[in-house]
Amino acid sequence: MINKGRINVRVQRRRAGSLSSLRARFHGRRDADGLREMLADAYAGGAPLAEDLPPYVLGLHAQVRHSTARLRSRTLAAHRALHIRIQSESVRVVNQYTERGEPTPAALARFGEWVAEWRSAASVCRQQAQQLADEANQLIACYWDAAWARARRGDQVGGRRPAGWLPGRITLDGTWAHLDDGLLSDRWYVPDAPGRDTDPSAVAQALHILDHQSARGRSDQTRHGDAPKGSRR
């Protein structure tokens, strides 16, 4: 059974509450005069480069990077024993299925249970990281709304802020794309390293065996389920 207490790794989050939103709007109003050219260019359809973003927005980026890295490290630390069991059992699975050619469903089922527990924990971790990014994006929107309103009041820009215009929008990087990469820790930090799949580790091979066997089992169940009644032997 999955231990929810172990999965729910807590980190201090920047909630986009009323106080944080007020601060974001304050910074936006304060910075509006220095953003006149950027806002005028946005009204004409342009968008600033990343290096031209204001310090407040860059600060939110830094906070999200720090918080998500901390979240990731705490998830790994909280599931250290599980990680070790998966590493150890993967060698046994690969040895039985690949080297000896003697499938052991019990060992694969045990390995699958531990992997499922890890995937649940990694999924929660990713959802929490996405929440951090979403909350920061709310503050970025408050910042630009306030800056635009102040600039419009001074006749520096006209109309409303263009829909979808949100310079500095925060998105999770590619290291969060695959839950199983946490079992191959180097992939969390160098997801696109050349040659990463040329010599797969025992864990990578065992995961392939697990998913392949699961897919085969579902396929067999589908065929049997569609077979006419009485045709099974």
Side-chain angles (χ1 to χ4, degrees), residues 15 91 109 187 208 210:
R15 292 186 177 275
V91 176
R187 296 192 181 184
H208 176 76
L210 174 65

Side-chain angles (χ1 to χ4, degrees), residues 65-159:
R65 283 196 302 270
H66 173 76
S67 296
T68 53
R70 186 181 180 189
L71 176 64
R72 173 175 284 166
S73 64
R74 287 192 172 189
T75 299
L76 286 172
H79 297 83
R80 179 176 177 273
L82 175 64
H83 198 282
I84 292 173
R85 288 200 301 270
I86 291 174
Q87 297 281 342
S88 176
E89 191 67 18
S90 65
V91 176
R92 182 178 306 174
V93 169
V94 172
N95 186 48
Q96 289 296 125
Y97 279 80
T98 303
E99 302 298 330
R100 296 183 179 180
E102 300 174 355
T104 52
L108 188 63
R110 183 169 55 248
F111 178 74
E113 181 180 356
W114 292 338
V115 169
E117 184 175 348
W118 164 259
R119 287 173 175 172
S120 295
S123 178
V124 171
C125 180
R126 182 170 63 184
Q127 290 171 5
Q128 291 176 337
Q130 184 61 56
Q131 184 175 355
L132 288 169
D134 291 343
E135 290 171 353
N137 284 332
Q138 291 178 26
L139 297 181
I140 292 174
C142 290
Y143 174 87
W144 288 117
D145 280 341
W148 192 276
R150 175 60 62 88
R152 186 175 59 181
R153 188 181 306 169
D155 295 328
Q156 296 164 355
V157 296

Side-chain angles (χ1 to χ4, degrees), residues 2-3 21 34 39 57 62-64 69 84 95 101 112 183 196 203-204 225:
I2 297 173
N3 187 334
S21 298
L39 296 174
V57 176
Q63 289 179 16
V64 170
I84 292 173
N95 186 48
L183 298 173
R196 52 172 268 178
V203 175

